[in-house]
Amino acid sequence: MHQPITRREFLAGTASVAAGAMLLGPSAVLSTAPVPEVSVIKGGDPAAAVRRALELLGGMSRYVRPGNVVVVKPNIGWDTRIGYGADTNPDIVGAVIKMCFEAGAKKVKIFDNPCNEARRCYVSSGIEEIAKSQGADVSFVNDNRFDLVDFLEGVRLKSWLVYRDALPANRDVLINVPVLKQHSLPKTQNGNPGLSIGFKNLMGVMGGNRGEIHTHFEDKIVDFCSVIRPDLTIVDATNVLLRNGPRGGRLADVAKLDTVIAGADPVAVDAWGVRTFGYPPEDLDYLVEAHRRGMGELDLSKVVTRQERLD
Amino acid sequence: MAAWKRWKNLRVISQLIFLAAFFVLLWQARYPLEGPFPMDLFLRIDPLLGILLSLAARVLLLSFAVSLIIIVLSLVFGRAFCGWVCPMGATLDVADRLMHSHPKGTKVRTRWWKYAISAILLMAALLSYQGTWLLDPLVLLDRTATAVILPVFWFLIRGLFAATFNIPGIENPVYDFYSSIEGVILPLAQPVFLHSMTILLFFGGILALEKIFRRFWCRSLCPLGAFLGVTGHRAPFQRVVGPECSECGLCRENCKMGAIYKDYTHTNRADCILCLNCAVICPEQCTSYAFARLKHSPATFNINRRRLIEAAVVGVVAVPVIKATRTVGQTSARALRPPGALPEDQFLDRCIRCQECVQVCSSTGGCLQPSLLETGWEGFWSPIANMRVGYCEFQCNLCSKVCPSGAIHKITLDDKQIRRMGRAFFDRNRCIPYDRNEDCLVCEEHCPTPEKAILFDVKTVQAPDGSSRTVKFPYVRLDRCIGCGICEYICPLPGEAGVYCTRENEERWGQEPTEVITR
């Protein structure tokens, strides 16, 4: 089903990056060009891959300034074991936290509003342990700390409860660290399976009766992310759940794609996630809607993609 | 006497330690269940439970073997357990202090009740109805603590914190502190029990009786007290009064249990709980406790043969009266038992409604609740799953690990994950895709079986504006559904869910499972 990046594509991508870098010098990497940039790393251990992905984007210091309060939002939605593809790989979360502190972050906050009992998810996913060892503030979402946010431009979502710590007023940077996996809800074209990537992962900072987001999901999730927009999205596509998502539970349903995708443009990053899964991004309806509303680039030929394969 | 004062202080300390230990052990019954002590210890040291459950279930329940210690202790020290150890007794002493109850120790005409109650329970158990759950003091306190005391306590603490979350300035430091203890000391979610008020009223009634006289419960009602009174009424360690007694009567006036006879010298050893109040208050300092050989009073149990036989008859009649209220087909199909529960008859023989399973469940999925009449009068306060309050967590088998009586068999996690508690049904009148031709599929998203038990059909249907659209219509695949209820729990509809679980297809422990084939 999924079409891995061919060697030709890989070499072409790498060559174009190298050529671009030679022509333009370091300014190409450091400039905040309007052209969206995405880095895609295959192979290597997940922590090294995410580090390399950020290096290719110009380093974490491009997104995190000294003294910043950073919210890192992994997927800790399910009480399943590491490697089953339901929660974000803990090594990736740990590496992201480490890079935030290296860039001078004052505080890194980790939380999710899980679907299973929260404490079980925090423990089973391995994220609580690694995040605490890296010095992040790991907390459980508290019902009393949701604020009602108005979505003035919202098509279907007019207001919703958002976790206080995730609101722009209470943090400087929001880093979304989703896991790529099959999810039956998002509408697709041509019979392709729906996917949970970056946009869907942001449901973890929502409060209230989140099931209601599922009706007319494509409109509502785009409404939501137009206000709660991550500054950086890092997709864990190392162990990808192909079926029975988003919870899974069988290793037979997990494909080892060993890929990490990173970038600031939430649409372009999710589009790369779809391509990594193996079908055209235009087939995932919410991405088309997000692109239509100007939230990011869906056409990957218009995205500067830096690909590398690690050993 | 100063020495007895010290011993009395020691008794109070002992009571407080055991009361604290009781709550600590109960509080240990939570995810991830890593406490160093068995959280059901206070239930398993109860010989009355061990004997009556074994009788009713026709099985020797060896998990209660540790209660032999209490029997042996009573043979030597009488009802010292009631005065020094029992957390229910300590609770009553605290209540007495707050309510200023007076001992009124002289005539207690209700003393025989507890033996009558015990006789009723014994006869019922012989005829295979286990009613010990209603009145056993340790069970009573366990149940009340789980369903009322702890939830109220957590509500207060969490509420106090929550009140500060909106105060600028202190909000963040308080929240940081709160986060650090949440999930460690504080439970993550407020436990919710729909019928806890009935448990509170029952317990409140027992406390209110203390206004009649002190330790009314222990003197008149407690079946465990009666049991220990019988085993301990000839205990050699007992109250001894010296010849210096001036018959001032202070000891009799201040006896918590009203256990001192008119001559102030003799003691009803079936009721004396060795609280030592008499020794402390004695102005002549001639009252002490020691190993002694004294003639015991003939009226120890205050119950005559006629009353005892009447009580036994009540016990015999009670069985069909209660059993006739339950017909399996008519009890609520929505009352799911925990995974690993024995077949219903055996389950009710053993379940003491201690709510240990409910307590541990409240720290994870949170579906278990003390029932009311969903499973008939016979199943009153027994644990059932309410999938709108919580769900049965796929990775959890903790309820089976804490059950002191084996009403829920200890099952492995692998077993639990394929053991059917029941099955899910779609209510197509309420389910969102069927009701309004809109996608929803939250149930399918949450369905935890490795291969989804909720599948969906994609159909092109008409939208309200006349256009056509594709919508996913969920349905259940019967051979995969284990009835865990997360679909019902998470259904976004208010009130009744669009998908709900019933006992159909359930697979109790030890029952030959019916094979389900779906094509």
Side-chain angles (χ1 to χ4, degrees):
Chain A
M1 186 184 298
H2 65 90
Q3 304 153 349
I5 303 157
T6 62
R7 181 169 301 170
R8 179 183 298 236
E9 281 175 347
F10 170 71
L11 288 174
T14 314
S16 63
V17 171
M22 275 190 290
L23 281 172
L24 300 169
S27 63
V29 180
L30 292 173
S31 70
T32 49
V35 182
E37 301 163 62
V38 173
S39 58
V40 181
I41 307 296
K42 301 205 105 200
D45 78 273
V50 71
R51 183 166 284 275
R52 186 64 189 144
L54 262 293
E55 279 171 16
L56 291 184
L57 290 174
M60 187 60 95
S61 54
R62 210 175 139 186
Y63 306 96
V64 176
R65 308 274 175 214
N68 276 179
V69 173
V70 183
V71 168
V72 174
K73 165 62 183 74
N75 190 326
I76 327 178
W78 305 97
D79 178 15
T80 60
R81 279 171 286 172
I82 301 168
Y84 280 71
D87 300 321
T88 306
N89 187 320
D91 293 338
I92 290 179
V93 180
V96 171
I97 297 166
K98 198 170 182 196
M99 285 188 286
C100 290
F101 281 123
E102 284 166 5
K106 184 172 75 182
K107 203 174 240 215
V108 178
K109 295 183 182 180
I110 301 268
F111 54 84
D112 195 3
N113 193 358
C115 298
N116 291 151
E117 197 272 329
R119 201 167 154 216
R120 286 179 168 275
C121 300
Y122 277 43
V123 172
S124 313
S125 65
I127 290 174
E128 181 179 48
E129 189 186 348
I130 199 160
K132 280 187 171 164
S133 75
Q134 295 291 348
D137 288 7
V138 183
S139 62
F140 297 107
V141 162
N142 186 288
D143 284 348
N144 297 296
R145 287 169 58 87
F146 284 95
D147 293 327
L148 200 60
V149 173
D150 290 324
F151 299 93
L152 298 175
E153 309 285 318
V155 174
R156 298 236 183 216
L157 205 62
K158 296 302 178 188
S159 62
W160 200 261
L161 289 169
V162 182
Y163 200 54
R164 191 171 296 165
D165 292 13
L167 291 174
N170 301 321
R171 44 89 178 162
D172 301 301
V173 185
L174 174 61
I175 302 180
N176 193 14
V177 194
V179 59
L180 170 68
K181 54 182 172 177
Q182 184 268 338
H183 193 301
S184 298
L185 175 70
K187 273 191 172 33
T188 57
Q189 303 301 315
N190 301 320
N192 287 307
L195 293 175
S196 169
I197 326 177
F199 277 64
K200 182 77 175 70
N201 191 46
L202 286 176
M203 280 185 73
V205 302
M206 292 183 185
N209 186 354
R210 292 187 292 169
E212 287 178 7
I213 300 294
H214 275 216
T215 57
H216 304 285
F217 172 77
E218 283 67 26
D219 286 334
K220 288 176 182 173
I221 197 69
V222 174
D223 288 343
F224 185 81
C225 298
S226 64
V227 173
I228 309 298
R229 186 188 163 100
D231 302 286
L232 176 65
T233 304
I234 301 168
V235 179
D236 162 21
T238 53
N239 297 303
V240 177
L241 201 48
L242 303 178
R243 287 171 295 275
N244 292 306
R247 191 191 185 283
R250 288 200 311 170
L251 284 178
D253 292 338
V254 178
K256 227 172 146 45
L257 301 189
D258 286 333
T259 304
V260 172
I261 306 159
D265 179 332
V267 180
V269 172
D270 274 17
W272 255 106
V274 181
R275 175 179 281 192
T276 306
F277 194 88
Y279 65 88
E282 297 77 22
D283 282 2
L284 189 56
D285 288 13
Y286 79 78
L287 278 184
V288 176
E289 175 67 14
H291 173 63
R292 195 183 61 77
R293 295 207 219 158
M295 285 177 65
E297 186 51 62
L298 182 62
D299 183 353
L300 290 181
S301 67
K302 293 180 185 162
V303 175
V304 175
T305 305
R306 303 188 173 86
Q307 301 183 59
E308 256 190 45
R309 184 181 287 274
L310 302 182
D311 295 322
Chain B
M1 205 193 270
W4 291 112
K5 179 80 187 156
R6 274 205 295 278
W7 278 104
K8 184 193 159 177
N9 288 342
L10 198 64
R11 186 259 298 167
V12 173
I13 292 168
S14 161
Q15 282 184 293
L16 292 177
I17 286 175
F18 280 109
L19 184 62
F22 176 86
F23 276 96
V24 168
L25 287 189
L26 182 64
W27 172 71
Q28 271 190 18
R30 66 189 202 283
Y31 170 82
L33 205 65
E34 282 169 348
F37 303 105
M39 65 297 308
D40 56 352
L41 190 63
F42 271 97
L43 298 167
R44 290 199 284 111
I45 59 169
D46 185 333
L48 183 79
L49 279 180
I51 291 169
L52 292 188
L53 258 63
S54 294
L55 281 178
R58 317 289 200 247
V59 179
L60 187 60
L61 294 173
L62 288 174
S63 58
F64 288 90
V66 63
S67 66
L68 281 173
I69 297 170
I70 302 300
I71 297 180
V72 170
L73 278 177
S74 76
L75 292 175
V76 181
F77 295 103
R79 279 180 72 179
F81 175 85
C82 309
W84 288 64
V85 178
C86 180
M88 181 70 182
T91 308
L92 292 174
D93 279 349
V94 172
D96 289 342
R97 209 161 254 260
L98 296 175
M99 292 160 71
H100 306 291
S101 334
H102 191 267
K104 287 188 195 158
T106 49
K107 283 179 186 164
V108 183
R109 294 214 168 83
T110 55
R111 211 184 283 283
W112 63 277
W113 289 3
K114 61 179 178 289
Y115 301 107
I117 287 170
S118 303
I120 293 171
L121 294 178
L122 178 66
M123 283 314 290
L126 283 171
L127 295 175
S128 180
Y129 176 70
Q130 184 266 116
T132 331
W133 57 271
L134 183 65
L135 291 171
D136 185 276
L138 299 169
V139 169
L140 195 64
L141 192 61
D142 223 40
R143 177 162 65 225
T144 312
T146 296
V148 183
I149 299 171
L150 287 179
V152 168
F153 181 68
W154 299 135
F155 191 91
L156 285 173
I157 303 276
R158 289 161 60 87
L160 284 175
F161 275 109
T164 64
F165 291 162
N166 293 313
I167 302 173
I170 64 164
E171 177 196 342
N172 286 324
V174 172
Y175 183 63
D176 287 345
F177 174 68
Y178 181 84
S179 304
S180 67
I181 59 170
E182 195 181 26
V184 184
I185 297 170
L186 285 176
L188 218 49
Q190 171 66 37
V192 176
F193 304 118
L194 302 177
H195 307 312
S196 56
M197 194 58 83
T198 56
I199 292 170
L200 172 63
L201 288 175
F202 191 79
F203 192 73
I206 288 168
L207 291 187
L209 291 174
E210 294 298 298
K211 207 59 191 166
I212 301 173
F213 45 72
R214 288 185 75 171
R215 293 256 190 170
F216 182 95
W217 164 261
C218 312
R219 294 188 205 190
S220 314
L221 298 172
C222 180
L224 179 59
F227 179 89
L228 295 175
V230 171
T231 57
H233 78 285
R234 284 169 185 259
F237 190 82
Q238 57 180 297
R239 178 170 171 268
V240 181
V241 180
E244 303 90 339
C245 174
S246 63
E247 305 199 343
C248 69
L250 275 177
C251 55
R252 193 153 184 256
E253 241 171 73
N254 285 283
C255 178
K256 273 188 205 180
M257 293 293 290
I260 298 173
Y261 289 120
K262 271 183 200 149
D263 64 357
Y264 309 119
T265 308
H266 284 93
T267 318
N268 184 341
R269 278 186 279 165
D271 274 352
C272 175
I273 58 173
L274 279 70
C275 75
L276 310 182
N277 280 1
C278 53
V280 172
I281 208 159
C282 180
E284 315 298 338
Q285 302 189 358
C286 66
T287 305
S288 64
Y289 282 79
F291 287 99
R293 280 176 164 277
L294 287 180
K295 208 174 63 178
H296 71 280
S297 163
T300 300
F301 299 128
N302 312 81
I303 184 164
N304 56 35
R305 185 174 301 164
R306 188 197 162 101
R307 277 177 174 166
L308 205 58
I309 291 170
E310 282 168 357
V313 170
V314 170
V316 171
V317 174
V319 175
V321 167
I322 293 165
K323 293 262 181 193
T325 63
R326 179 171 67 95
T327 48
V328 175
Q330 285 169 5
T331 52
S332 171
R334 302 279 296 270
L336 274 67
R337 293 292 187 200
L342 300 184
E344 190 68 6
D345 281 330
Q346 296 169 37
F347 179 81
L348 292 174
D349 284 345
R350 294 208 196 180
C351 175
I352 51 174
R353 282 72 147 166
C354 63
Q355 317 297 343
E356 289 272 350
C357 55
V358 170
Q359 164 69 20
V360 80
C361 185
S362 73
S363 74
T364 76
C367 63
L368 290 185
Q369 300 273 316
S371 69
L372 274 191
L373 297 176
E374 292 90 334
T375 57
W377 282 98
E378 198 185 355
F380 201 74
W381 286 341
S382 60
I384 57 170
N386 184 315
M387 302 304 190
R388 275 315 245 177
V389 179
Y391 68 98
C392 183
E393 164 62 49
F394 192 67
Q395 302 278 13
C396 175
N397 59 347
L398 295 183
C399 56
S400 86
K401 287 187 180 173
V402 300
C403 181
S405 62
I408 310 172
H409 191 85
K410 281 186 177 41
I411 53 172
T412 62
L413 194 56
D414 286 342
D415 183 327
K416 177 251 156 72
Q417 292 181 342
I418 53 170
R419 183 167 290 278
R420 304 191 296 266
M421 298 167 71
R423 62 158 292 199
F425 271 94
F426 278 96
D427 180 346
R428 295 190 175 194
N429 288 320
R430 285 186 60 71
C431 175
I432 288 171
Y434 298 98
D435 171 46
R436 43 178 146 121
N437 282 357
E438 283 177 18
D439 267 336
C440 176
L441 224 55
V442 186
C443 48
E444 189 265 1
E445 175 186 39
H446 283 73
C447 182
T449 54
E451 290 181 280
K452 298 263 179 206
I454 294 178
L455 307 178
F456 58 87
D457 224 1
V458 186
K459 288 180 192 162
T460 303
V461 293
Q462 197 178 52
D465 62 4
S467 65
S468 64
R469 65 183 175 210
T470 57
V471 171
K472 299 172 182 113
F473 294 89
Y475 65 95
V476 179
R477 188 169 155 156
L478 200 55
D479 59 339
R480 291 182 185 165
C481 181
I482 57 168
C484 76
I486 197 170
C487 48
E488 183 178 345
Y489 172 65
I490 208 73
C491 175
L493 288 176
E496 284 290 294
V499 56
Y500 61 92
C501 288
T502 78
R503 289 217 309 247
E504 183 189 333
N505 236 5
E506 72 175 343
E507 213 181 333
R508 296 292 182 93
W509 176 261
Q511 258 176 348
E512 195 65 31
T514 47
E515 201 176 342
V516 182
I517 298 167
T518 305
R519 289 193 177 88

